[in-house]
Amino acid sequence: MGKRVSTDEEKSEPSSKRQKLLDDTTNVNQPPVEIQSGKQLRQLLLFQQDGGPTLRSHISSFKAFLEVIAYGEENDDRTAKQSVLLEFLESQIPTKDDKKSLYLSDLIQTWSFAAQSNHEALLSAVPAVLALLLKTISKLIDFRECGVRLCEVLLRKDQIDLFNTNLAASKSKEFLISPCLRLLTEIVSFDGGTLAKRLYLQRDVCFKRLEVFLGMQKPAKAKRLGRPSKPSVRLNALRYLLANLRFQDQVATSDILCQAKLVRGLFQDIKDDMPNVIREILNSIKKYVVNDTTLSRTTRSRLLTDWTLSRVASLDNYEEGEQDIPEGQLSVKDSAFEFLVYVCTTPDHGVLLSQHGWYFPGSETAVRDLDATDNPLRHGRQTSSDKSTENISVRNTTLSRFLQTLRPYASTFHRDLTLAAFEAAPELVADYFSKKKTFSFEPKLSATWIGYSAFLFSVVKLPAPIDGIGEVLPPVSIVIESILPQPLTQKSLTRCLNQSSTLVTFFAANILTIAFQKLEIVLEHLRSKVQPTAEFDQAQSKLKAEFCRRCPELKQAVATFRGCSPKSVNLKDSLLRLLAMYYKIVPQIALDAKFDISIALSKTLSDVADQKENRVDSGMRLLELDHLLDIAHTSPNMQWWQKPENMRLSPFTSILQLHASTTSECSGGNVRKLLQSIVKDYALLQQDTERSALDAIIVSLRDFRGWQASAELYDFLDNCILRLVRKTIKYFGDAVELEKNIITTSANDGTRPVSLLLMAILEQWPYFIGACQASDLTNVLTWLARYFTVLQSIGEDHEMLGIIFDRLGDHIKDKDNLTISKIASELLNDTEWKATMSNSLRAESKISIDKTIFREDPKDQLSIPIPILPPGPPEEAEEHSGLIRWTKKEPAEAIEDGAIADLLLCLCSKHAEIRKQSLSNIETFMAKLEFSGYSESQQIYLLLGEVTETARGVISSTPYPYFAGIFAAHSISVLSNPLHFMYTKINKFLNRSPIWNTAKLPSYWMDKVFLDQPTQDDAHLREVEWVINALLEGLRTPKDMDHYRRCKVFERLLSSCSASSIARKFADLIIKLLFRCTYVGGSTTLLTRCAILSWTKACIVRENMDSAVLELLYTQVIKTCEDGRVSEWAKGITLNPN
C-alpha cells in the first residue's frame, strides 16, 4: 500500500510534535581560537546572554590556551602566552571607584547565567576552566595576587550559591559535580592554603554531600579495562578532602576528623581505588594527620579506629601489576603494611597507648603504688584473673579490637602485623588469645593449620618484656600467655607429638623448646630483678606449675623420641633438645619420669667414635651428643657405670675417651663440666690441688708424637674406674695405709693429695700385665709414665707417687727389658713433651668449672656479690579482700584459685571483727560446699569444720595462730589433689580429733615429717620442704615466735642444718626462717636458748653454707637483740657485731 499524502489543510496546521532544538554543541567541535593578546582574550570571554554555543567554544579555546601554559614545554611560545595571561588577568582588576564589579566578572556572570537558565554545558565548563586557571597560576609567583583575588571572589556568598547548585546535582550528573570539587581543591590549596580557613567557614556548602561523593566510585570493570580517561567523582572528592587535611588549621582538621561519615567514606571503597590513589591516601594520612603533633591523640584516634585499620588491612590481597609500581615506590600491599605497622607500633600516634607490658592498666613499671595484696604472685597464689583470662583489661582497646579482625593463619601480611603489635604492646597477647577461640588447634596437616602453627611459633618466639618488670611480679595468667598461649594446650600438644606426620611432631618439639627457653629467660630475669623471698619462690613455682599444666608430660616426649626413625635426624635432634630443656627448666617434672638415657647416650657415643659418617651427619651426631650430655648431667637415673650390651666401655669412660681424642669436635665445655661433676660426686680423683686432677688424666690420654691410647688401655682404665666406684671405701683404706708408711719415715705432717684411681691401678696392675701382649703393655706403660709426670706437675704428693710408681715398676722389672722408669725419665727430659703438657693443661683450665690453674691478679677477679638482708614478714592487708572473693565463684573455683585459703588467713587478723566475719563466712561456704558436688568436698568440709571448731573459742579474745592458719590454707591445696605427696598424712591428721591442739601443731608436724617414713618412696625431701615453708610463712608476730620456742622448733632445725648431708635448698630456707626471727623479736631467744652465734661460727668454719649470708645473720642477731637481757645472760661479756 502506498504512503498517504498529506492534504493542504494538514500542511497549513501547526504540528503537535515537539520540534527538535538546535544542538548547542555545534560550535564546540570547532578548532580553538589562537589567542595572541590580552585584549583578544577579553573579547573572547565577553559575556553574551544569547550566545550559549559561542561561549562554550570560547571557553574551550581559553582552556586550550591554559593547558599549553600548564602542561607545555618551556619555550618562547609558552612564555609569550604567560605574558598574555598576566596582561588579561591584570586588566580584569576593577578600579578603586568601581566597587560593584567583580574580578573576572565575565566568567562569573557566565556561570551565574548558566545556573539560572539551567545550561548544564556552561554549568560544567566554567568551574572547570576556573579550576584549570588556578592550577596554572599556582605555580607562577607573578600571578599570586591575581589568584588570591579570584579565590576571594569565588568565596563570596553569590558564588557560593553557584557551588551549591552544582554540588546539589543528582549522582548521575558527575560532569557537574567533579569540576566544582576540582575548583574547591585548587582554592583550598592555593598559595599554601592562604584561603583555606575562609573556605571552611562556608563548609555548609563546600562540604555538602562530600560523604556521598566519596562513595561514587567508577565500576570495578572499568578499572580492570585500564586507567579511566577522566577521574571519578570519588577521586576528586578524595583529593579535596586530603587537601583540606593538609592545609586547614588544627581546629578545622579536628572538626573534619570528627565527622564519622567522612572518615567512613574515605576508607569504605579504598580497595577499589587505583594503586597511585591508595598510596596518595596513605601517605597523606601519615604525613598530615598521624605525624601532626598539633592534633591531639584523641582527634587522631577518631580517624584511626579499628574499622579504619581493618579496611587498610584488607589491601593485603590487592592485585597490582609490576608495571603499576613506579620506580622507587612501594607496592600497595607494602605501603599498607608499612602504614599499619607505623601507626600500630609507634606511641602517641593515635592507636598505640603507653602500657606496662605484662601489668594491668594503672600499674607503673616499678608498681610500688600497688597494694601487695592485689598481686597474686606476691603471695604465691592465683586470683580469678590467673585462673581465667576471660576479662583481661588492656589500655590498647582499639588495637585489641583490630587484631581480632585479622587472619594471621591465612596471610603473612596479617601475621607480621599482629606480631609487630604484640611486640609493641605485650599486654595484647593474653587479651588476643582469651578472645580468639574460633580456631581449634587440633593437629591436621592442612594449609590453615600450618599457617596457624607458624603464627603461634612466632608469638612464642617474641622477646619477653622483661625490662619492664618491677618489684611486684606480673600476674601468672598474663605471663603464661606470652610463653605458651592458650591454643597450645597439653591435649593438643600431646596429640601433635603422637602424630605420624613428621612435620607436625617437628613443630611441636620446636615450639615447646622455644617456650622452655623463654620461660628460662623470664625466670632468670626475675631472680636478678626481684628480691628473693618465700613469696617470690612460691610465685616462681606457680608460673612453672601453670607452664607444666599446658606442656605435655615428659613421658610423652620420651615415647616420641624412642619411636623416632633413625633417618629423621632433624626431628631426633629437636626431641633431644626438648628433653634437655625438661631436665634443665622443670627438673621436678623430669624426675617423676623414669627415663634412662644410658642407651641413647651409648649409641651416640658409638656413632661418634666410629667416624664413618659424612661431615653433615657427623655434625648432627655431635649435636645429639651435646643434648644427651645435658640430660645426663641432670638425670638421676643415668647409669654411668653400667656397660650396655653394644658398648665396650662404660658411659663415663666413653665420654672421657671422646674428650681426650684430638679429632673430636664436640663442645669441650659441656663435656668437661659433666666429667668434673661425676669425678667430684664419686671421689674418683682428688680435689685438693690447685690444678685439676681431671685435666691431668685428659692430657695424659691425648695423642703425642705418634702415640695413641689403645683400646686395651681404655679397657684397663675402665676396669679400674668401675672397681673404684664399687669399692671406694676399700681403696680409701689402701691410701690411708700407704700414707701411714710415709708418715713414719718422713717429717711431712701435712695433707697428701693423691687420687684414689692410682690405688685401683696399683691393685689391678699385676692382673693386667699377666694377660696383655707386649705391644699393649708398651702402650699402657707409656701412658702411665705420661700420667705420673702430669700428676707430679699439678702438685700431687711426690712421695706417694714415688711409692706407687716403684711398686708398678717392680712387676715388670725383668719382662722384655721394659721399665716404666726409663720411659718416665725420657719424658722428663723431653722439652717438647713438657711444652705440650703445659699447653694442654692451660687449654683444659680455660673450660674448668671449679679450679683455676694459674692465679690471676686480684684486680681482674670478679667481685663477690654482697648478700641482701631478706625482707621481714608481710604486713596484714587493710582491705581483707579474702572475705568476699570467694562469694563470686563456684566452690571448686574458690578452692583452686586460693580464695578459701585467703578466707582462712583472715582468722589470724589482729581485728576481732574481721576474725568473726571470717568464721561466719567459712561456715556459709561449708553449707555451700556440702551440696556442690565437688569431688573432694568431704575432706575439705572436714578440714574446715575442724578449723571452725578450733577457732570458735579462741578468736573472740586473740588471733588464731598464724602457723595453724597457714597449715590450714596449705592443706586446702593438698586435699584438692589426691596425688599430692602430703595427701595421706593430712588425712590421717584430720582423723585424729575434731579440735586441734594448736600449741603442739609445729612439733607434731616436725616429728611426722623429719622422723617418720614418707608416704611415697622419694617424697621425704619434698615433705621437709613443705613443712619448713609452712613454718616460715607462719612466723609473723612475736606471739608466733614464742609458740615456736615452746615447741623447740629452732633446736631441731639448727641440728638438721648442721648435718653435712643437708641439701643447700633446705639450708637456705632455714636461714630465711632465722632472719625472720630477727624481725619479730626473736634474736634474744636465738642467742640465749639456741647458741646461734656459736652455731653460725661453726657453719662458717665447715663451709657447708654461704659464709657471707651467715656473717650477715650473725650481725643481724646482735643488732636486734635486747641489750639488757643479753648482757645479763652473757655476764658482762661484750658481743662484737663485726
Side-chain angles (χ1 to χ4, degrees):
M1 185 174 76
K3 182 178 181 181
R4 186 178 69 84
V5 180
S6 61
T7 62
D8 294 339
E9 293 180 356
E10 291 175 344
K11 291 180 180 180
S12 61
E13 293 178 359
S15 175
S16 60
K17 185 177 181 181
R18 183 176 181 270
Q19 298 294 318
K20 181 178 180 180
L21 300 177
L22 292 175
D23 188 4
D24 59 357
T25 63
T26 304
N27 297 326
V28 173
N29 295 326
Q30 295 179 0
V33 178
E34 185 70 21
I35 299 174
Q36 301 293 338
S37 64
K39 181 178 180 181
Q40 180 187 3
L41 185 55
R42 287 196 303 272
Q43 294 176 352
L44 199 66
L45 298 178
L46 188 66
F47 171 68
Q48 301 176 13
Q49 188 169 354
D50 56 348
T54 305
L55 282 176
R56 281 200 61 196
S57 176
H58 292 171
I59 290 175
S60 298
S61 300
F62 185 37
K63 179 181 178 182
F65 174 77
L66 292 174
E67 287 175 346
V68 173
I69 300 175
Y71 308 116
E73 297 180 355
E74 187 67 34
N75 50 34
D76 295 339
D77 180 61
R78 184 168 179 267
T79 304
K81 290 184 182 304
Q82 289 180 10
S83 302
V84 171
L85 180 60
L86 182 60
E87 177 188 352
F88 165 70
L89 292 177
E90 290 179 346
S91 66
Q92 293 293 306
I93 300 176
T95 61
K96 295 182 179 180
D97 298 335
D98 189 4
K99 298 182 179 180
K100 295 183 179 181
S101 298
L102 299 175
Y103 187 65
L104 291 180
S105 57
D106 291 315
L107 282 174
I108 301 299
Q109 194 172 358
T110 302
W111 190 3
S112 177
F113 166 73
Q116 294 173 6
S117 60
N118 198 24
H119 197 297
E120 294 181 348
L122 285 177
L123 205 58
S124 173
V126 174
V129 77
L130 287 175
L132 180 59
L133 174 60
L134 283 176
K135 183 176 182 179
T136 302
I137 66 178
S138 64
K139 304 175 183 178
L140 305 173
I141 189 64
D142 296 335
F143 291 77
R144 177 188 176 279
E145 183 179 352
C146 300
V148 171
R149 285 181 178 274
L150 176 58
C151 292
E152 290 175 346
V153 169
L154 293 174
L155 292 177
R156 292 184 179 180
K157 184 180 182 306
D158 293 339
Q159 282 62 253
I160 288 296
D161 293 338
L162 299 179
F163 280 106
N164 188 29
T165 301
N166 282 41
L167 295 177
S170 64
K171 295 173 64 175
S172 61
K173 296 184 178 181
E174 297 183 6
F175 63 94
L176 295 180
I177 300 171
S178 289
C180 275
L181 292 175
R182 292 200 299 271
L183 179 56
L184 289 172
T185 303
E186 295 301 330
I187 293 174
V188 76
S189 306
F190 191 81
D191 193 25
T194 302
L195 299 170
K197 186 175 182 179
R198 289 185 57 182
L199 180 143
Y200 194 71
L201 294 176
Q202 307 291 340
R203 56 184 174 275
D204 292 342
V205 174
C206 296
F207 281 79
K208 185 176 183 179
R209 300 177 67 203
L210 185 57
E211 68 279 0
V212 177
F213 302 149
L214 288 170
M216 295 174 62
Q217 178 66 277
K218 287 285 186 181
K221 182 178 179 180
K223 185 182 75 170
R224 287 195 298 268
L225 294 176
R227 186 180 295 274
S229 58
K230 291 183 180 181
S232 64
V233 175
R234 169 175 168 79
L235 179 57
N236 291 316
L238 278 174
R239 289 173 176 168
Y240 174 52
L241 178 60
L242 295 178
N244 276 278
L245 294 178
R246 177 180 181 181
F247 294 108
Q248 294 292 354
D249 59 9
Q250 174 188 353
V251 177
T253 303
S254 300
D255 188 50
I256 293 173
L257 296 177
C258 290
Q259 300 181 39
K261 292 182 178 180
L262 289 181
V263 174
R264 189 172 186 85
L266 176 62
F267 290 99
Q268 178 69 46
D269 300 320
I270 192 171
K271 285 188 65 175
D272 298 327
D273 289 327
M274 299 297 292
N276 62 317
V277 177
I278 297 176
R279 282 188 283 267
E280 181 181 355
I281 294 173
L282 297 179
N283 292 335
S284 298
I285 295 296
K286 179 179 178 181
K287 187 174 182 180
Y288 304 121
V289 177
V290 176
N291 290 335
D292 188 357
T293 56
T294 62
L295 295 175
S296 65
R297 192 207 62 79
T298 304
T299 300
R300 285 176 283 183
S301 65
R302 291 180 177 176
L303 173 67
L304 302 174
T305 62
D306 56 303
W307 180 87
T308 301
L309 299 176
S310 299
R311 298 306 302 168
V312 178
S314 65
L315 297 172
D316 66 314
N317 56 358
Y318 188 87
E319 297 180 2
E320 181 181 16
E322 295 183 1
Q323 67 277 6
D324 295 331
I325 305 176
E327 186 177 355
Q329 294 190 22
L330 299 175
S331 64
V332 169
K333 180 178 178 179
D334 293 340
S335 298
F337 180 77
E338 183 186 48
F339 173 81
L340 289 172
V341 170
Y342 184 75
V343 301
C344 293
T345 62
T346 308
D348 302 326
H349 280 173
V351 179
L352 181 65
L353 301 177
S354 60
Q355 40 83 45
H356 304 297
W358 285 333
Y359 292 97
F360 288 118
S363 304
E364 300 295 335
T365 53
V367 290
R368 293 188 178 90
D369 56 332
L370 287 181
D371 190 282
T373 58
D374 294 333
N375 189 281
L377 288 185
R378 173 58 64 92
H379 295 286
R381 57 175 174 80
Q382 285 182 300
T383 64
S384 57
S385 62
D386 295 321
K387 181 68 179 176
S388 174
T389 52
E390 295 289 340
N391 300 313
I392 295 178
S393 58
V394 294
R395 291 204 68 199
N396 292 281
T397 54
T398 300
L399 266 180
S400 174
R401 293 191 299 269
F402 167 56
L403 294 180
Q404 294 297 321
T405 65
L406 301 182
R407 300 188 305 158
Y409 53 86
S411 169
T412 56
F413 179 102
H414 290 183
R415 182 191 66 192
D416 295 341
L417 178 59
T418 306
L419 294 174
F422 284 167
E423 188 169 2
E427 64 170 2
L428 294 173
V429 179
D431 173 75
Y432 177 84
F433 288 108
S434 67
K435 299 174 181 176
K436 197 76 168 181
K437 297 182 178 180
T438 56
F439 187 83
S440 176
F441 190 71
E442 291 297 324
K444 300 176 183 177
L445 199 57
S446 61
T448 303
W449 186 88
I450 293 175
Y452 198 58
S453 302
F455 168 65
L456 289 175
F457 185 85
S458 301
V459 171
V460 176
K461 203 172 181 180
L462 288 174
I466 54 179
D467 294 335
I469 296 178
E471 296 178 357
V472 177
L473 303 181
V476 170
S477 59
I478 305 298
V479 178
I480 194 63
E481 291 300 324
S482 296
I483 299 176
L484 210 57
Q486 276 189 10
L488 300 174
T489 61
Q490 187 180 66
K491 179 181 177 181
S492 61
L493 288 172
T494 301
R495 292 191 61 185
C496 289
L497 287 176
N498 295 331
Q499 282 289 310
S500 58
S501 172
T502 304
L503 179 62
V504 177
T505 308
F506 185 74
F507 159 76
N510 278 315
I511 198 170
L512 282 170
T513 302
I514 296 296
F516 269 114
Q517 293 172 350
K518 193 171 185 179
L519 176 64
E520 181 183 20
I521 292 173
V522 172
L523 292 176
E524 287 181 355
H525 181 80
L526 291 178
R527 295 189 192 103
S528 62
K529 185 77 175 179
V530 182
Q531 191 175 15
T533 60
E535 292 80 4
F536 172 72
D537 293 339
Q538 293 180 9
Q540 288 191 89
S541 301
K542 287 291 185 181
L543 182 57
K544 287 184 179 181
E546 181 62 23
F547 181 87
C548 294
R549 191 178 66 83
R550 298 192 181 193
C551 71
E553 296 179 357
L554 177 60
K555 63 181 181 181
Q556 299 293 341
V558 171
T560 304
F561 171 72
R562 287 173 175 168
C564 181
S565 172
K567 297 181 181 179
S568 303
V569 181
N570 292 328
L571 176 59
K572 190 175 180 182
D573 175 70
S574 298
L575 290 171
L576 278 175
R577 189 166 65 248
L578 173 60
L579 292 175
M581 297 305 295
Y582 269 100
Y583 280 92
K584 182 179 180 182
I585 309 300
V586 285
Q588 67 274 19
I589 302 298
L591 295 178
D592 292 338
K594 307 293 184 182
F595 177 44
D596 183 10
I597 201 68
S598 306
I599 299 176
L601 179 60
S602 301
K603 187 177 185 308
T604 305
L605 285 171
S606 178
D607 294 339
V608 172
D610 289 344
Q611 297 182 346
K612 295 180 180 179
E613 299 172 320
N614 57 42
R615 187 175 183 84
V616 176
D617 293 339
S618 177
M620 294 302 298
R621 292 296 181 192
L622 291 174
L623 282 176
E624 290 180 17
L625 179 60
D626 198 23
H627 301 321
L628 287 169
L629 292 177
D630 288 339
I631 298 172
H633 186 63
T634 55
S635 174
N637 301 314
M638 179 62 196
Q639 303 295 332
W640 290 112
W641 319 113
Q642 183 176 354
K643 291 184 182 180
E645 295 180 358
N646 60 338
M647 291 290 293
R648 183 172 181 174
L649 305 174
S650 65
F652 173 81
T653 311
S654 299
I655 296 174
L656 179 64
Q657 180 184 13
L658 177 68
H659 187 59
S661 174
T662 56
T663 60
S664 174
E665 299 175 5
C666 185
S667 58
N670 287 342
V671 178
R672 174 64 173 75
K673 182 179 179 180
L674 177 62
L675 290 173
Q676 179 66 33
S677 64
I678 299 171
V679 165
K680 187 175 181 180
D681 291 342
Y682 291 91
L684 300 180
L685 304 173
Q686 55 83 20
Q687 305 291 322
D688 299 325
T689 57
E690 186 176 1
R691 297 183 180 184
S692 173
L694 176 63
D695 297 338
I697 194 171
I698 292 173
V699 170
S700 67
L701 290 170
R702 292 195 183 279
D703 298 348
F704 174 70
R705 201 186 292 168
W707 179 90
Q708 289 184 348
S710 64
E712 287 72 16
L713 169 58
Y714 279 108
D715 289 340
F716 171 66
L717 184 60
D718 188 47
N719 179 50
C720 295
I721 291 174
L722 293 180
R723 289 182 178 274
L724 174 59
V725 171
R726 297 188 185 108
K727 300 180 180 180
T728 305
I729 297 178
K730 185 262 184 189
Y731 292 110
F732 181 77
D734 294 344
V736 172
E737 291 296 328
L738 187 64
E739 186 175 0
K740 287 181 180 179
N741 296 332
I742 300 175
I743 294 175
T744 58
T745 60
S746 174
N748 187 1
D749 196 25
T751 303
R752 297 182 180 275
V754 66
S755 298
L756 292 183
L757 178 60
L758 293 176
M759 307 310 299
I761 292 174
L762 181 59
E763 182 196 54
Q764 295 300 312
W765 180 243
Y767 305 103
F768 173 74
I769 62 176
C772 69
Q773 301 294 328
S775 58
D776 299 333
L777 183 58
T778 302
N779 188 275
V780 176
L781 283 175
T782 305
W783 170 73
L784 283 173
R786 288 158 54 96
Y787 186 39
F788 273 87
T789 55
V790 180
L791 288 176
Q792 185 178 357
S793 68
I794 68 170
E796 289 205 10
D797 187 73
H798 287 233
E799 295 178 274
M800 294 279 286
L801 291 177
I803 293 176
I804 299 173
F805 190 80
D806 293 337
R807 291 187 181 183
L808 292 173
D810 291 341
H811 291 283
I812 57 169
K813 184 179 297 184
D814 298 323
K815 188 165 183 174
D816 299 330
N817 295 322
L818 293 172
T819 59
I820 188 173
S821 300
K822 181 180 178 181
I823 300 173
S825 61
E826 291 176 356
L827 289 173
L828 291 174
N829 295 325
D830 192 338
T831 56
E832 183 180 354
W833 162 247
K834 290 181 180 180
T836 303
M837 179 182 63
S838 177
N839 293 335
S840 298
L841 285 173
R842 187 178 296 109
E844 288 296 326
S845 69
K846 291 181 180 179
I847 57 176
S848 177
I849 59 174
D850 291 329
K851 300 291 183 181
T852 303
I853 292 180
F854 301 102
R855 291 193 177 274
E856 300 177 354
D857 190 332
K859 298 183 296 181
D860 301 330
Q861 296 180 356
L862 295 176
S863 60
I864 300 176
I866 300 174
I868 301 174
L869 187 66
E875 298 292 337
E876 181 180 348
E878 297 180 359
E879 290 80 5
H880 297 95
S881 58
L883 292 174
I884 59 174
R885 276 208 315 127
W886 67 274
T887 59
K888 303 176 182 179
K889 305 176 178 64
E890 293 298 322
E893 185 180 358
I895 290 171
E896 292 177 3
D897 72 357
I900 301 304
D902 289 346
L903 179 60
L904 288 170
L905 289 179
C906 290
L907 291 171
C908 308
S909 173
K910 58 186 177 182
H911 306 290
E913 292 299 326
I914 298 297
R915 300 196 297 267
K916 293 177 181 179
Q917 187 176 352
S918 173
L919 181 62
S920 174
N921 288 353
I922 292 173
E923 292 174 340
T924 304
F925 176 77
M926 290 173 61
K928 188 177 180 181
L929 176 65
E930 188 176 5
F931 302 99
S932 65
Y934 182 55
S935 59
E936 307 300 328
S937 61
Q938 292 184 0
Q939 289 85 350
I940 295 178
Y941 185 89
L942 177 61
L943 170 68
L944 296 177
E946 294 185 6
V947 170
T948 55
E949 290 299 322
T950 306
R952 196 181 309 277
V954 178
I955 60 173
S956 58
S957 58
T958 183
Y960 197 61
Y962 257 110
F963 177 77
I966 291 293
F967 168 73
H970 287 193
S971 298
I972 288 286
S973 61
V974 173
L975 295 176
S976 63
N977 178 18
L979 298 179
H980 198 279
F981 54 86
M982 290 293 294
Y983 186 81
T984 303
K985 289 189 175 181
I986 294 293
N987 277 285
K988 287 182 179 179
F989 171 77
L990 295 178
N991 290 330
R992 293 178 72 250
S993 174
I995 298 178
W996 298 352
N997 186 356
T998 57
K1000 295 183 179 181
L1001 197 59
S1003 58
Y1004 170 85
W1005 280 108
M1006 293 190 71
D1007 289 341
K1008 289 297 180 183
V1009 171
F1010 281 73
L1011 303 180
D1012 289 1
Q1013 292 183 352
T1015 54
Q1016 300 177 11
D1017 293 339
D1018 57 346
H1020 176 68
L1021 296 180
R1022 288 182 288 171
E1023 289 183 2
V1024 171
E1025 183 181 7
W1026 190 86
V1027 171
I1028 296 178
N1029 274 321
L1031 290 170
L1032 178 62
E1033 293 185 40
L1035 182 57
R1036 301 195 182 188
T1037 64
K1039 186 175 180 180
D1040 297 324
M1041 180 67 195
D1042 187 61
H1043 188 191
Y1044 284 10
R1045 177 189 61 79
R1046 285 184 273 111
C1047 291
K1048 293 182 171 51
V1049 169
F1050 302 107
E1051 288 85 341
R1052 300 186 185 189
L1053 291 179
L1054 291 179
S1055 61
S1056 300
C1057 196
S1058 300
S1060 59
S1061 60
I1062 188 171
R1064 180 65 178 269
K1065 177 170 62 175
F1066 301 141
D1068 291 342
L1069 286 175
I1070 294 173
I1071 293 296
K1072 289 181 181 179
L1073 179 61
L1074 296 176
F1075 272 108
R1076 179 69 64 87
C1077 295
T1078 64
Y1079 287 99
V1080 293
S1083 299
T1084 304
T1085 301
L1086 294 178
L1087 267 170
T1088 59
R1089 292 181 177 270
C1090 302
I1092 187 64
L1093 300 185
S1094 300
W1095 179 86
T1096 305
K1097 291 179 179 180
C1099 291
I1100 293 174
V1101 172
R1102 283 197 303 269
E1103 297 183 351
N1104 60 342
M1105 284 180 282
D1106 191 342
S1107 59
V1109 175
L1110 290 172
E1111 290 174 0
L1112 181 62
L1113 175 62
Y1114 186 96
T1115 305
Q1116 179 71 3
V1117 169
I1118 294 178
K1119 287 183 178 179
T1120 56
C1121 67
E1122 299 177 17
D1123 293 338
R1125 175 73 179 88
V1126 172
S1127 298
E1128 181 183 352
W1129 168 80
K1131 298 181 179 180
I1133 299 176
T1134 303
L1135 299 179
N1136 184 7
N1138 298 319

